[in-house]
Amino acid sequence: MAEAPILSGTSEVSLDEKGRFAMPVRFRRILQELGGSELVFTRSLTDPCLWIYPMDSWEDAVKDLGALPSLGDPLCRVVQRVVLGSAVAVRADSQGRYLLPPALRDKCQLNRRGMLIGFNRKFELWSCEELEKQQSRDEEVLEGSMDSFSEHGILGDLRI
């Protein structure tokens, strides 16, 4: 089986009054290659955004979550509860739009506009305001870390 394409790039999306948005064309093509128009929406564990998985990537995430030792580890239970408990599978309608569940929309303060970010094997969907705040925090982290970047265990060998 071929390796799943890496999702990358950022696109602005508009939400209609019902909370539907159309997947940008460049991402739509990739999703078609992956064989489906069904996505899974869930809460991010760490940020005020949604994680959106193509079905193959979601199935991998579910396997990983299922392998966690939930009986003996309270943090593992919380991670499973948050990610799995808020997950909703959504199929594109006949016009290629996805309906965001109101509870997830509210949790991430998504109103009329959002920013969809390809993030490896999933997407992140942010409100424009929250993403702007996060980008400022990201810049601060980068500025404060560049002197020690090469000493960072995982990032020290990164070639980009």
Side-chain angles (χ1 to χ4, degrees):
M1 177 155 86
E3 183 130 349
I6 300 293
L7 301 170
S8 62
T10 301
S11 296
E12 185 172 338
V13 295
S14 297
L15 282 72
D16 67 13
E17 65 281 347
K18 293 181 181 179
R20 297 175 297 196
F21 76 94
M23 182 62 65
V25 172
R26 67 185 176 136
F27 291 139
R28 201 176 314 153
R29 289 186 189 125
I30 293 170
L31 292 174
Q32 287 170 346
E33 288 175 25
L34 293 173
S37 62
E38 188 171 25
L39 300 174
V40 176
F41 294 78
T42 192
R43 282 181 45 196
S44 165
L45 282 172
T46 56
D47 299 306
C49 68
L50 298 181
W51 286 343
I52 304 172
Y53 290 86
M55 195 51 72
D56 285 354
S57 295
W58 176 247
E59 290 169 358
D60 292 341
V62 168
K63 286 177 192 168
D64 290 345
L65 288 166
L68 294 174
S70 58
L71 286 178
D73 190 321
L75 179 57
C76 289
R77 279 195 305 277
V78 170
V79 167
Q80 289 171 323
R81 191 176 300 120
V82 168
V83 176
L84 296 171
S86 62
V88 178
V90 178
R91 186 170 295 282
D93 67 13
S94 61
Q95 293 162 350
R97 298 172 301 187
Y98 292 90
L99 176 63
L100 290 172
L104 291 176
R105 236 179 18 239
D106 293 346
K107 185 75 179 164
C108 297
Q109 302 168 8
L110 285 160
N111 294 313
R112 301 292 284 162
R113 294 179 29 235
M115 298 301 286
L116 186 68
I117 301 172
F119 198 80
N120 197 357
R121 297 218 25 184
K122 66 179 178 281
F123 297 100
E124 290 183 340
L125 181 59
W126 291 77
S127 73
C128 293
E129 299 79 18
E130 287 299 320
L131 182 57
E132 191 173 304
K133 291 177 198 173
Q134 184 62 48
Q135 288 171 329
S136 292
R137 290 188 295 267
D138 291 347
E139 287 299 320
E140 289 175 16
V141 168
L142 280 175
E143 287 173 14
S145 302
M146 290 313 292
D147 290 340
S148 62
F149 196 83
S150 63
E151 298 166 15
H152 190 281
I154 295 171
L155 297 176
D157 295 326
L158 183 64
R159 289 181 226 155
I160 52 174

